[in-house]
Amino acid sequence: MIVCSSCKVAVHLNCYGVQGDVMESWPCSRCKYKTDSEDSVKQACLLCPKKDGALKPVDVDGVESSGSVVQFAHLFCSLWMPEVYIEDLKKMEPIMNVKAIKGTRRKLLCKLCKLKCGACVHCSHGTCRTAFHPICAREARHRLEVWENCGSENVELWAFCSKQSEFPDVRGNPQFGDSFVARRSDSSTANCIPSKLLTEKQNKLKAGLNGDEVAVHVEAGFYF
């Protein structure tokens, strides 16, 4: 773990993409862009209403800023958003393709924070349509799962609302096959996304597939 000398956010070096030797006064990506004027940095995540956490710059129209304002998003939010990918998986930045997020997803009201901003996902359980920000679900300790197909490269991400989080065993769900096993099934799944999922997601989105084509079951567990 390493802690930002300015905002005090704590991150894993590999998860956050920290490269080379780390100085004693290490700044996170957001704090590196700070100036004397806080107006030069857009504080809130583009995908949720949270202002703090492990943020990374967002590529807007081919550059990592829009005018003089640098925009940021949480790595966690980007990992759980089907249309979004990370350009450099070693540096874990910049976050790409945010503008491709479906308009309907941006209009969803988060059941947890009660805000309509950024982008939400639906509960992965059957026909449940409860919407929430992935990071709000993590903070509320909802069930967030990573499932891996033992017989292939497929990895599925599943996020559940508070009601469905009360039932830990979903293997009986017809959406699952017998070959799928859960890598993690708790709110700490954020730091356990398989690298092959990130690579596959990046490759498919770069190839021109939209979020629905990449994430076949966007609202009921999506896989790559």
Short mmCIF file of all heavy atoms in Angstrom, two decimals, residues 80-132:
data_model
loop_
_atom_site.label_atom_id
_atom_site.label_comp_id
_atom_site.label_asym_id
_atom_site.label_seq_id
_atom_site.Cartn_x
_atom_site.Cartn_y
_atom_site.Cartn_z
N TRP A 80 -16.35 -1.33 -13.49
CA TRP A 80 -17.69 -1.91 -13.45
C TRP A 80 -18.64 -1.29 -14.47
O TRP A 80 -19.82 -1.60 -14.48
CB TRP A 80 -18.27 -1.81 -12.05
CG TRP A 80 -17.62 -2.78 -11.11
CD1 TRP A 80 -16.42 -2.65 -10.49
CD2 TRP A 80 -18.13 -4.06 -10.72
NE1 TRP A 80 -16.15 -3.77 -9.74
CE2 TRP A 80 -17.18 -4.65 -9.85
CE3 TRP A 80 -19.31 -4.76 -11.00
CZ2 TRP A 80 -17.37 -5.90 -9.27
CZ3 TRP A 80 -19.50 -6.01 -10.43
CH2 TRP A 80 -18.53 -6.57 -9.58
N MET A 81 -18.12 -0.40 -15.31
CA MET A 81 -18.95 0.24 -16.34
C MET A 81 -18.65 -0.41 -17.69
O MET A 81 -17.52 -0.32 -18.19
CB MET A 81 -18.65 1.73 -16.37
CG MET A 81 -19.73 2.58 -17.03
SD MET A 81 -21.37 2.43 -16.28
CE MET A 81 -21.04 2.78 -14.55
N PRO A 82 -19.61 -1.10 -18.30
CA PRO A 82 -19.35 -1.89 -19.51
C PRO A 82 -18.72 -1.13 -20.67
O PRO A 82 -17.87 -1.66 -21.39
CB PRO A 82 -20.74 -2.39 -19.90
CG PRO A 82 -21.50 -2.40 -18.63
CD PRO A 82 -21.00 -1.24 -17.84
N GLU A 83 -19.10 0.13 -20.87
CA GLU A 83 -18.63 0.86 -22.04
C GLU A 83 -17.24 1.46 -21.88
O GLU A 83 -16.67 1.99 -22.84
CB GLU A 83 -19.61 2.00 -22.37
CG GLU A 83 -21.02 1.54 -22.70
CD GLU A 83 -21.92 1.47 -21.48
OE1 GLU A 83 -21.40 1.44 -20.34
OE2 GLU A 83 -23.14 1.44 -21.65
N VAL A 84 -16.70 1.43 -20.68
CA VAL A 84 -15.46 2.16 -20.38
C VAL A 84 -14.28 1.20 -20.25
O VAL A 84 -14.44 0.07 -19.79
CB VAL A 84 -15.64 2.96 -19.06
CG1 VAL A 84 -14.35 3.67 -18.67
CG2 VAL A 84 -16.78 3.96 -19.21
N TYR A 85 -13.10 1.65 -20.68
CA TYR A 85 -11.90 0.83 -20.52
C TYR A 85 -10.71 1.71 -20.15
O TYR A 85 -10.79 2.94 -20.18
CB TYR A 85 -11.59 0.03 -21.78
CG TYR A 85 -11.17 0.85 -22.99
CD1 TYR A 85 -9.83 1.10 -23.26
CD2 TYR A 85 -12.12 1.36 -23.87
CE1 TYR A 85 -9.45 1.85 -24.37
CE2 TYR A 85 -11.75 2.11 -24.98
CZ TYR A 85 -10.41 2.34 -25.23
OH TYR A 85 -10.03 3.08 -26.33
N ILE A 86 -9.61 1.07 -19.77
CA ILE A 86 -8.38 1.78 -19.39
C ILE A 86 -7.35 1.60 -20.50
O ILE A 86 -7.10 0.48 -20.94
CB ILE A 86 -7.84 1.23 -18.06
CG1 ILE A 86 -8.88 1.46 -16.95
CG2 ILE A 86 -6.52 1.89 -17.69
CD1 ILE A 86 -8.59 0.71 -15.67
N GLU A 87 -6.76 2.68 -20.94
CA GLU A 87 -5.84 2.64 -22.08
C GLU A 87 -4.54 1.92 -21.76
O GLU A 87 -4.14 1.00 -22.46
CB GLU A 87 -5.54 4.08 -22.53
CG GLU A 87 -4.52 4.17 -23.66
CD GLU A 87 -5.02 3.57 -24.96
OE1 GLU A 87 -6.24 3.51 -25.17
OE2 GLU A 87 -4.17 3.17 -25.77
N ASP A 88 -3.86 2.33 -20.72
CA ASP A 88 -2.57 1.74 -20.33
C ASP A 88 -2.77 0.92 -19.07
O ASP A 88 -2.94 1.47 -17.98
CB ASP A 88 -1.55 2.86 -20.09
CG ASP A 88 -0.12 2.32 -19.89
OD1 ASP A 88 0.02 1.18 -19.38
OD2 ASP A 88 0.84 3.03 -20.22
N LEU A 89 -2.74 -0.40 -19.21
CA LEU A 89 -3.04 -1.26 -18.07
C LEU A 89 -1.86 -1.41 -17.11
O LEU A 89 -1.99 -2.07 -16.08
CB LEU A 89 -3.48 -2.65 -18.58
CG LEU A 89 -4.81 -2.63 -19.34
CD1 LEU A 89 -5.15 -4.03 -19.83
CD2 LEU A 89 -5.93 -2.09 -18.46
N LYS A 90 -0.73 -0.83 -17.44
CA LYS A 90 0.39 -0.78 -16.50
C LYS A 90 0.28 0.46 -15.63
O LYS A 90 0.43 0.40 -14.41
CB LYS A 90 1.72 -0.80 -17.25
CG LYS A 90 2.03 -2.14 -17.92
CD LYS A 90 3.40 -2.14 -18.56
CE LYS A 90 3.73 -3.50 -19.16
NZ LYS A 90 5.07 -3.51 -19.80
N LYS A 91 0.01 1.60 -16.26
CA LYS A 91 -0.16 2.85 -15.52
C LYS A 91 -1.59 3.00 -14.99
O LYS A 91 -1.85 3.87 -14.17
CB LYS A 91 0.17 4.04 -16.42
CG LYS A 91 1.64 4.10 -16.85
CD LYS A 91 1.88 5.32 -17.71
CE LYS A 91 3.33 5.42 -18.14
NZ LYS A 91 3.57 6.61 -19.00
N MET A 92 -2.50 2.16 -15.51
CA MET A 92 -3.91 2.21 -15.14
C MET A 92 -4.52 3.59 -15.40
O MET A 92 -5.31 4.12 -14.61
CB MET A 92 -4.10 1.81 -13.68
CG MET A 92 -3.74 0.37 -13.39
SD MET A 92 -4.67 -0.84 -14.36
CE MET A 92 -6.28 -0.75 -13.60
N GLU A 93 -4.18 4.15 -16.55
CA GLU A 93 -4.75 5.41 -17.01
C GLU A 93 -4.35 5.65 -18.46
O GLU A 93 -3.43 5.01 -18.95
CB GLU A 93 -4.28 6.58 -16.12
CG GLU A 93 -2.79 6.84 -16.15
CD GLU A 93 -2.37 8.04 -15.32
OE1 GLU A 93 -2.48 7.97 -14.08
OE2 GLU A 93 -1.96 9.05 -15.93
N PRO A 94 -5.01 6.57 -19.16
CA PRO A 94 -6.24 7.26 -18.76
C PRO A 94 -7.47 6.37 -18.95
O PRO A 94 -7.41 5.33 -19.59
CB PRO A 94 -6.28 8.45 -19.71
CG PRO A 94 -5.63 7.93 -20.96
CD PRO A 94 -4.52 7.03 -20.48
N ILE A 95 -8.57 6.82 -18.38
CA ILE A 95 -9.85 6.13 -18.54
C ILE A 95 -10.47 6.61 -19.85
O ILE A 95 -10.57 7.80 -20.10
CB ILE A 95 -10.75 6.43 -17.33
CG1 ILE A 95 -10.14 5.80 -16.07
CG2 ILE A 95 -12.17 5.92 -17.56
CD1 ILE A 95 -10.80 6.22 -14.78
N MET A 96 -10.89 5.65 -20.66
CA MET A 96 -11.33 5.94 -22.02
C MET A 96 -12.82 5.63 -22.23
O MET A 96 -13.42 4.86 -21.49
CB MET A 96 -10.52 5.10 -23.02
CG MET A 96 -9.02 5.15 -22.85
SD MET A 96 -8.30 6.73 -23.33
CE MET A 96 -8.56 6.69 -25.10
N ASN A 97 -13.36 6.24 -23.29
CA ASN A 97 -14.67 5.87 -23.83
C ASN A 97 -15.85 6.26 -22.94
O ASN A 97 -16.95 5.72 -23.09
CB ASN A 97 -14.73 4.36 -24.10
CG ASN A 97 -15.48 4.03 -25.38
OD1 ASN A 97 -15.38 4.75 -26.37
ND2 ASN A 97 -16.22 2.94 -25.37
N VAL A 98 -15.64 7.20 -22.03
CA VAL A 98 -16.73 7.61 -21.14
C VAL A 98 -17.91 8.17 -21.91
O VAL A 98 -19.08 7.95 -21.55
CB VAL A 98 -16.21 8.64 -20.11
CG1 VAL A 98 -17.36 9.25 -19.32
CG2 VAL A 98 -15.23 7.98 -19.15
N LYS A 99 -17.65 8.85 -23.01
CA LYS A 99 -18.73 9.44 -23.80
C LYS A 99 -19.61 8.39 -24.46
O LYS A 99 -20.71 8.70 -24.93
CB LYS A 99 -18.16 10.39 -24.86
CG LYS A 99 -17.67 11.71 -24.29
CD LYS A 99 -17.38 12.71 -25.39
CE LYS A 99 -17.07 14.09 -24.81
NZ LYS A 99 -16.84 15.10 -25.88
N ALA A 100 -19.14 7.15 -24.52
CA ALA A 100 -19.92 6.09 -25.15
C ALA A 100 -20.95 5.46 -24.22
O ALA A 100 -21.73 4.60 -24.63
CB ALA A 100 -18.98 5.00 -25.68
N ILE A 101 -20.96 5.87 -22.95
CA ILE A 101 -21.93 5.32 -22.00
C ILE A 101 -23.35 5.66 -22.46
O ILE A 101 -23.64 6.79 -22.83
CB ILE A 101 -21.68 5.88 -20.59
CG1 ILE A 101 -20.32 5.40 -20.07
CG2 ILE A 101 -22.77 5.45 -19.62
CD1 ILE A 101 -19.91 6.01 -18.75
N LYS A 102 -24.22 4.67 -22.42
CA LYS A 102 -25.59 4.84 -22.90
C LYS A 102 -26.31 5.95 -22.15
O LYS A 102 -26.18 6.10 -20.94
CB LYS A 102 -26.35 3.53 -22.71
CG LYS A 102 -25.86 2.40 -23.58
CD LYS A 102 -26.46 1.07 -23.16
CE LYS A 102 -27.97 1.08 -23.25
NZ LYS A 102 -28.56 -0.24 -22.91
N GLY A 103 -27.10 6.72 -22.90
CA GLY A 103 -27.86 7.80 -22.30
C GLY A 103 -28.84 7.30 -21.25
O GLY A 103 -29.08 7.96 -20.23
N THR A 104 -29.42 6.13 -21.49
CA THR A 104 -30.36 5.57 -20.52
C THR A 104 -29.69 5.25 -19.20
O THR A 104 -30.29 5.37 -18.13
CB THR A 104 -31.00 4.29 -21.08
OG1 THR A 104 -29.96 3.39 -21.52
CG2 THR A 104 -31.92 4.59 -22.25
N ARG A 105 -28.43 4.84 -19.25
CA ARG A 105 -27.69 4.53 -18.03
C ARG A 105 -27.42 5.81 -17.23
O ARG A 105 -27.43 5.81 -16.00
CB ARG A 105 -26.36 3.84 -18.38
CG ARG A 105 -25.68 3.19 -17.19
CD ARG A 105 -24.31 2.64 -17.57
NE ARG A 105 -24.35 1.69 -18.66
CZ ARG A 105 -24.79 0.44 -18.54
NH1 ARG A 105 -25.26 0.02 -17.40
NH2 ARG A 105 -24.78 -0.37 -19.57
N ARG A 106 -27.18 6.91 -17.94
CA ARG A 106 -26.91 8.19 -17.27
C ARG A 106 -28.16 8.77 -16.62
O ARG A 106 -28.08 9.60 -15.73
CB ARG A 106 -26.34 9.18 -18.28
CG ARG A 106 -24.94 8.82 -18.79
CD ARG A 106 -24.39 9.92 -19.67
NE ARG A 106 -23.04 9.65 -20.13
CZ ARG A 106 -21.95 9.87 -19.42
NH1 ARG A 106 -22.07 10.37 -18.19
NH2 ARG A 106 -20.76 9.62 -19.90
N LYS A 107 -29.33 8.35 -17.08
CA LYS A 107 -30.58 8.89 -16.55
C LYS A 107 -31.10 8.11 -15.35
O LYS A 107 -32.11 8.50 -14.75
CB LYS A 107 -31.64 8.90 -17.66
CG LYS A 107 -31.32 9.84 -18.81
CD LYS A 107 -32.37 9.74 -19.91
CE LYS A 107 -32.02 10.65 -21.08
NZ LYS A 107 -33.03 10.54 -22.18
N LEU A 108 -30.45 7.02 -15.00
CA LEU A 108 -30.92 6.19 -13.89
C LEU A 108 -30.68 6.89 -12.54
O LEU A 108 -29.66 7.54 -12.34
CB LEU A 108 -30.21 4.84 -13.90
CG LEU A 108 -30.50 3.93 -15.09
CD1 LEU A 108 -29.57 2.72 -15.07
CD2 LEU A 108 -31.96 3.50 -15.09
N LEU A 109 -31.63 6.73 -11.64
CA LEU A 109 -31.52 7.28 -10.29
C LEU A 109 -30.94 6.22 -9.37
O LEU A 109 -31.46 5.10 -9.30
CB LEU A 109 -32.88 7.72 -9.77
CG LEU A 109 -32.94 8.24 -8.33
CD1 LEU A 109 -32.24 9.59 -8.23
CD2 LEU A 109 -34.39 8.34 -7.85
N CYS A 110 -29.85 6.54 -8.68
CA CYS A 110 -29.22 5.59 -7.78
C CYS A 110 -30.12 5.35 -6.56
O CYS A 110 -30.51 6.30 -5.88
CB CYS A 110 -27.85 6.10 -7.33
SG CYS A 110 -27.01 5.02 -6.14
N LYS A 111 -30.43 4.10 -6.30
CA LYS A 111 -31.29 3.73 -5.18
C LYS A 111 -30.64 4.07 -3.84
O LYS A 111 -31.33 4.30 -2.85
CB LYS A 111 -31.57 2.22 -5.25
CG LYS A 111 -32.40 1.65 -4.12
CD LYS A 111 -33.85 2.07 -4.22
CE LYS A 111 -34.70 1.36 -3.18
NZ LYS A 111 -36.13 1.76 -3.27
N LEU A 112 -29.31 4.14 -3.82
CA LEU A 112 -28.59 4.30 -2.57
C LEU A 112 -28.31 5.77 -2.21
O LEU A 112 -28.62 6.21 -1.12
CB LEU A 112 -27.28 3.51 -2.62
CG LEU A 112 -27.48 2.00 -2.80
CD1 LEU A 112 -26.17 1.31 -3.11
CD2 LEU A 112 -28.12 1.41 -1.55
N CYS A 113 -27.73 6.51 -3.14
CA CYS A 113 -27.42 7.91 -2.84
C CYS A 113 -28.53 8.86 -3.25
O CYS A 113 -28.47 10.06 -2.95
CB CYS A 113 -26.10 8.31 -3.50
SG CYS A 113 -26.16 8.45 -5.30
N LYS A 114 -29.53 8.34 -3.99
CA LYS A 114 -30.70 9.11 -4.42
C LYS A 114 -30.34 10.22 -5.41
O LYS A 114 -31.08 11.21 -5.53
CB LYS A 114 -31.44 9.72 -3.22
CG LYS A 114 -31.73 8.76 -2.09
CD LYS A 114 -32.59 7.60 -2.53
CE LYS A 114 -32.93 6.69 -1.36
NZ LYS A 114 -33.69 5.49 -1.78
N LEU A 115 -29.21 10.07 -6.10
CA LEU A 115 -28.79 11.08 -7.05
C LEU A 115 -28.79 10.53 -8.47
O LEU A 115 -28.51 9.35 -8.69
CB LEU A 115 -27.39 11.59 -6.70
CG LEU A 115 -27.24 12.33 -5.37
CD1 LEU A 115 -25.78 12.67 -5.11
CD2 LEU A 115 -28.10 13.60 -5.36
N LYS A 116 -29.11 11.39 -9.42
CA LYS A 116 -29.08 11.04 -10.83
C LYS A 116 -27.89 11.74 -11.46
O LYS A 116 -27.99 12.84 -11.99
CB LYS A 116 -30.38 11.45 -11.52
CG LYS A 116 -30.50 10.98 -12.96
CD LYS A 116 -31.76 11.52 -13.62
CE LYS A 116 -33.02 10.98 -12.97
NZ LYS A 116 -34.24 11.42 -13.69
N CYS A 117 -26.73 11.11 -11.36
CA CYS A 117 -25.52 11.70 -11.93
C CYS A 117 -24.56 10.58 -12.28
O CYS A 117 -24.69 9.45 -11.80
CB CYS A 117 -24.87 12.68 -10.96
SG CYS A 117 -24.20 11.91 -9.48
N GLY A 118 -23.59 10.88 -13.12
CA GLY A 118 -22.66 9.84 -13.54
C GLY A 118 -23.39 8.77 -14.33
O GLY A 118 -24.12 9.07 -15.28
N ALA A 119 -23.23 7.50 -13.93
CA ALA A 119 -23.89 6.39 -14.62
C ALA A 119 -24.11 5.25 -13.64
O ALA A 119 -23.27 4.98 -12.79
CB ALA A 119 -23.04 5.92 -15.81
N CYS A 120 -25.24 4.59 -13.77
CA CYS A 120 -25.59 3.48 -12.88
C CYS A 120 -25.66 2.16 -13.64
O CYS A 120 -25.69 2.13 -14.87
CB CYS A 120 -26.95 3.74 -12.22
SG CYS A 120 -26.98 5.11 -11.04
N VAL A 121 -25.72 1.08 -12.90
CA VAL A 121 -25.98 -0.24 -13.45
C VAL A 121 -27.21 -0.79 -12.73
O VAL A 121 -27.60 -0.29 -11.68
CB VAL A 121 -24.78 -1.21 -13.24
CG1 VAL A 121 -23.56 -0.72 -13.98
CG2 VAL A 121 -24.47 -1.39 -11.76
N HIS A 122 -27.83 -1.82 -13.32
CA HIS A 122 -28.96 -2.47 -12.69
C HIS A 122 -28.49 -3.68 -11.90
O HIS A 122 -27.45 -4.27 -12.18
CB HIS A 122 -29.98 -2.92 -13.74
CG HIS A 122 -30.84 -1.83 -14.26
ND1 HIS A 122 -30.82 -1.41 -15.58
CD2 HIS A 122 -31.76 -1.03 -13.65
CE1 HIS A 122 -31.68 -0.43 -15.75
NE2 HIS A 122 -32.26 -0.17 -14.60
N CYS A 123 -29.30 -4.07 -10.93
CA CYS A 123 -29.04 -5.29 -10.17
C CYS A 123 -28.95 -6.48 -11.12
O CYS A 123 -29.69 -6.58 -12.10
CB CYS A 123 -30.16 -5.51 -9.15
SG CYS A 123 -30.04 -7.06 -8.23
N SER A 124 -28.03 -7.39 -10.85
CA SER A 124 -27.78 -8.53 -11.72
C SER A 124 -28.73 -9.70 -11.49
O SER A 124 -28.61 -10.73 -12.15
CB SER A 124 -26.33 -9.02 -11.53
OG SER A 124 -25.40 -8.03 -11.88
N HIS A 125 -29.66 -9.56 -10.57
CA HIS A 125 -30.54 -10.69 -10.25
C HIS A 125 -31.78 -10.69 -11.13
O HIS A 125 -32.64 -9.81 -11.02
CB HIS A 125 -30.97 -10.64 -8.78
CG HIS A 125 -31.84 -11.80 -8.38
ND1 HIS A 125 -31.33 -13.02 -8.03
CD2 HIS A 125 -33.19 -11.91 -8.31
CE1 HIS A 125 -32.32 -13.85 -7.74
NE2 HIS A 125 -33.45 -13.19 -7.89
N GLY A 126 -31.87 -11.66 -12.01
CA GLY A 126 -33.07 -11.87 -12.81
C GLY A 126 -33.63 -10.62 -13.43
O GLY A 126 -32.95 -9.90 -14.16
N THR A 127 -34.90 -10.34 -13.10
CA THR A 127 -35.57 -9.18 -13.67
C THR A 127 -35.55 -7.96 -12.76
O THR A 127 -36.24 -6.97 -13.02
CB THR A 127 -37.05 -9.53 -13.98
OG1 THR A 127 -37.70 -9.95 -12.77
CG2 THR A 127 -37.13 -10.63 -15.02
N CYS A 128 -34.80 -8.00 -11.68
CA CYS A 128 -34.70 -6.86 -10.77
C CYS A 128 -34.13 -5.66 -11.51
O CYS A 128 -33.10 -5.75 -12.18
CB CYS A 128 -33.80 -7.22 -9.57
SG CYS A 128 -33.64 -5.87 -8.37
N ARG A 129 -34.78 -4.53 -11.40
CA ARG A 129 -34.37 -3.32 -12.13
C ARG A 129 -33.82 -2.25 -11.21
O ARG A 129 -33.67 -1.09 -11.61
CB ARG A 129 -35.56 -2.76 -12.92
CG ARG A 129 -36.23 -3.75 -13.84
CD ARG A 129 -35.26 -4.35 -14.85
NE ARG A 129 -34.83 -3.37 -15.82
CZ ARG A 129 -33.83 -3.56 -16.70
NH1 ARG A 129 -33.14 -4.69 -16.65
NH2 ARG A 129 -33.51 -2.64 -17.56
N THR A 130 -33.48 -2.60 -9.98
CA THR A 130 -32.92 -1.63 -9.05
C THR A 130 -31.61 -1.09 -9.60
O THR A 130 -30.72 -1.86 -10.00
CB THR A 130 -32.67 -2.26 -7.67
OG1 THR A 130 -33.91 -2.77 -7.17
CG2 THR A 130 -32.11 -1.24 -6.70
N ALA A 131 -31.47 0.22 -9.64
CA ALA A 131 -30.28 0.86 -10.21
C ALA A 131 -29.43 1.48 -9.10
O ALA A 131 -29.96 1.95 -8.09
CB ALA A 131 -30.67 1.93 -11.22
N PHE A 132 -28.12 1.48 -9.31
CA PHE A 132 -27.22 2.06 -8.32
C PHE A 132 -25.85 2.29 -8.95
O PHE A 132 -25.50 1.69 -9.96
CB PHE A 132 -27.07 1.14 -7.10
CG PHE A 132 -26.87 -0.31 -7.45
CD1 PHE A 132 -25.62 -0.80 -7.81
CD2 PHE A 132 -27.94 -1.19 -7.42
CE1 PHE A 132 -25.44 -2.13 -8.14
CE2 PHE A 132 -27.76 -2.53 -7.75
CZ PHE A 132 -26.51 -3.01 -8.11
#
